[in-house]
């Protein structure tokens, strides 16, 4: 589904040139659960940004379902991003004073009618075990519950791929493992491809495959 070929990302600033990704080759099949590990500065976020069509590589190819992403216009790439990907972040990125249900409805705002939207949002909250909290605001929810709202928000558009950058980074280890169990369910039950960044091995090993980056290179690629 996803193919990276000889992919390189170079950041140039006045002071220096950083090779954030060095000729990466990576194939990710549909329905795979993949963790990306590596120390701070190893290129994890750079790789996620390119995978999610938020940034372009400096050279090399990125194919999604055979489609060459670099051949697309900015508009086409933005549309592809909206159709294919859901995003989850370490800091949840929820809006204060807005209920869980309203947050999850947001991505559907101009797409479908009010009644269907509420139903779909409630279903997404149900799939993360949070339907009984749907009228709560973020400040009435625990960190783990807030991250579940963020996962429901990423799910509501029926993405093929969820990209999660350190989704358990702000959570204690038990809560982090609960979040990982949800991702695993999404892979197993819904067949969603989940690509997740973490620097903790016990979190990474919820996935079926773990790759490790170092200095912009993939230094290991293991089945769990
Ligand atoms: P990680 O997520 O693994 O911590 P990043 O992908 O954020 O690593 O960064 C990889 C390398 O690229 C680091 O050396 C970082 O300083 C550099 N880098 C990241 N983003 C930029 C940027 N916008 N401009 C310049 N250098 C950057
Ligand atoms: Mg990072």
């Amino acid at each position: 589904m996803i193919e990276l070929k000889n992919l390189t990302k170079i950041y140039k600033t006045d002071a220096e040139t950083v090779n954030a990704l060095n000729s990466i080759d990576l194939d990710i099949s549909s329905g795979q659960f993949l963790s990306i590990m590596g120390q701070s500065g190893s290129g994890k976020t750079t790789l996620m940004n390119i995978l999610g069509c938020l940034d372009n590589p400096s050279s090399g190819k990125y194919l999604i379902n055979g489609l060459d992403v670099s051949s697309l216009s900015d508009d086409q790439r933005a549309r592809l991003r909206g159709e294919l990907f859901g995003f989850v972040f370490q800091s949840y990125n929820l809006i204060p004073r807005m209920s869980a249900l309203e947050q999850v409805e947001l991505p559907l705002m101009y797409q479908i009618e009010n009644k269907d939207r509420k139903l779909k949002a409630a279903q997404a909250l149900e799939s993360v075990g949070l339907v009984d909290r749907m009228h709560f605001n973020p400040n009435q929810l625990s960190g783990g519950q807030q991250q579940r709202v963020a996962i429901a928000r990423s799910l509501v558009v029926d993405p093929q791929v969820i990209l999660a950058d350190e989704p358990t980074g702000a959570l204690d280890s038990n809560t982090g493992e609960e979040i990982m169990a949800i991702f695993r369910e999404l892979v197993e039950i819904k067949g969603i491809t989940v690509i997740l960044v973490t620097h903790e091995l016990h979190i990474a090993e919820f996935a079926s495959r773990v790759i490790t980056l170092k200095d912009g290179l993939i230094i290991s690629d293991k089945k769990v």
Side-chain angles (χ1 to χ4, degrees), residues 11-13 18-20 38-47 165:
Y11 292 111
K12 284 201 174 83
T13 63
V18 179
N19 290 299
Q39 292 178 350
S40 178
S42 58
K44 304 182 297 296
T45 294
T46 301
L47 178 58
D165 197 347

Side-chain angles (χ1 to χ4, degrees), residues 80-92:
L80 188 73
R81 177 166 68 234
E83 283 170 8
L84 248 51
F85 294 100
F87 295 89
V88 176
F89 305 94
Q90 176 172 348
S91 52
Y92 327 131

Side-chain angles (χ1 to χ4, degrees), residues 187-206:
V187 172
E188 286 172 0
I189 297 172
K190 297 190 190 253
I192 296 176
T193 308
V194 173
I195 306 174
L196 175 140
V197 162
T198 179
H199 53 263
E200 295 174 283
L201 190 61
H202 76 106
I203 292 294
E205 290 188 333
F206 273 80

Side-chain angles (χ1 to χ4, degrees), residues 202-220:
H202 76 106
I203 292 294
E205 290 188 333
F206 273 80
S208 54
R209 178 182 178 193
V210 179
I211 67 168
T212 306
L213 288 179
K214 189 181 181 201
D215 299 332
L217 292 167
I218 296 175
I219 56 163
S220 88

Side-chain angles (χ1 to χ4, degrees), residues 10-215:
I10 299 169
Y11 292 111
K12 284 201 174 83
T13 63
D14 292 344
E16 55 174 352
T17 301
V18 179
N19 290 299
L21 296 173
N22 281 309
S23 303
I24 295 230
D25 291 309
L26 182 64
D27 282 6
I28 305 169
S29 53
S30 176
Q32 190 160 76
F33 190 1
L34 172 72
S35 291
I36 302 171
M37 293 196 74
Q39 292 178 350
S40 178
S42 58
K44 304 182 297 296
T45 294
T46 301
L47 178 58
M48 291 294 264
N49 288 345
I50 292 173
L51 288 172
C53 303
L54 296 161
D55 198 3
N56 284 316
S58 306
S59 64
K61 271 205 187 319
Y62 175 18
L63 306 177
I64 303 179
N65 298 326
L67 183 72
D68 185 347
V69 176
S70 64
S71 71
L72 303 177
S73 68
D74 288 354
D75 282 354
Q76 288 172 321
R77 208 167 41 241
R79 201 170 319 128
L80 188 73
R81 177 166 68 234
E83 283 170 8
L84 248 51
F85 294 100
F87 295 89
V88 176
F89 305 94
Q90 176 172 348
S91 52
Y92 327 131
N93 294 4
L94 300 179
I95 298 167
R97 289 185 292 280
M98 197 183 242
S99 74
L101 186 68
E102 289 165 338
Q103 316 254 4
V104 178
E105 279 182 66
L106 275 182
L108 302 174
M109 211 38 126
Y110 301 104
Q111 293 183 22
I112 60 175
E113 280 180 41
N114 200 308
K115 190 164 68 59
D116 299 336
R117 201 167 66 218
K118 292 226 181 301
L119 182 66
K120 256 198 130 201
Q123 284 167 344
L125 283 166
E126 186 161 30
S127 67
V128 299
L130 213 64
V131 81
D132 57 333
R133 296 281 191 281
M134 67 182 180
H135 298 299
F136 285 43
N137 289 356
N139 65 356
Q140 300 168 310
L141 297 169
S142 69
Q145 289 170 337
Q146 290 182 59
Q147 191 59 297
R148 288 186 206 208
V149 175
I151 294 170
R153 182 183 54 191
S154 78
L155 274 178
V156 78
V157 294
D158 295 323
Q160 288 184 31
V161 184
I162 290 183
L163 296 172
D165 197 347
E166 307 251 11
T168 65
L171 303 172
D172 64 71
S173 76
N174 281 338
T175 309
E177 290 181 5
E178 282 169 27
I179 293 294
M180 293 307 292
I182 290 174
F183 283 125
R184 185 143 72 191
E185 238 178 72
L186 297 176
V187 172
E188 286 172 0
I189 297 172
K190 297 190 190 253
I192 296 176
T193 308
V194 173
I195 306 174
L196 175 140
V197 162
T198 179
H199 53 263
E200 295 174 283
L201 190 61
H202 76 106
I203 292 294
E205 290 188 333
F206 273 80
S208 54
R209 178 182 178 193
V210 179
I211 67 168
T212 306
L213 288 179
K214 189 181 181 201
D215 299 332

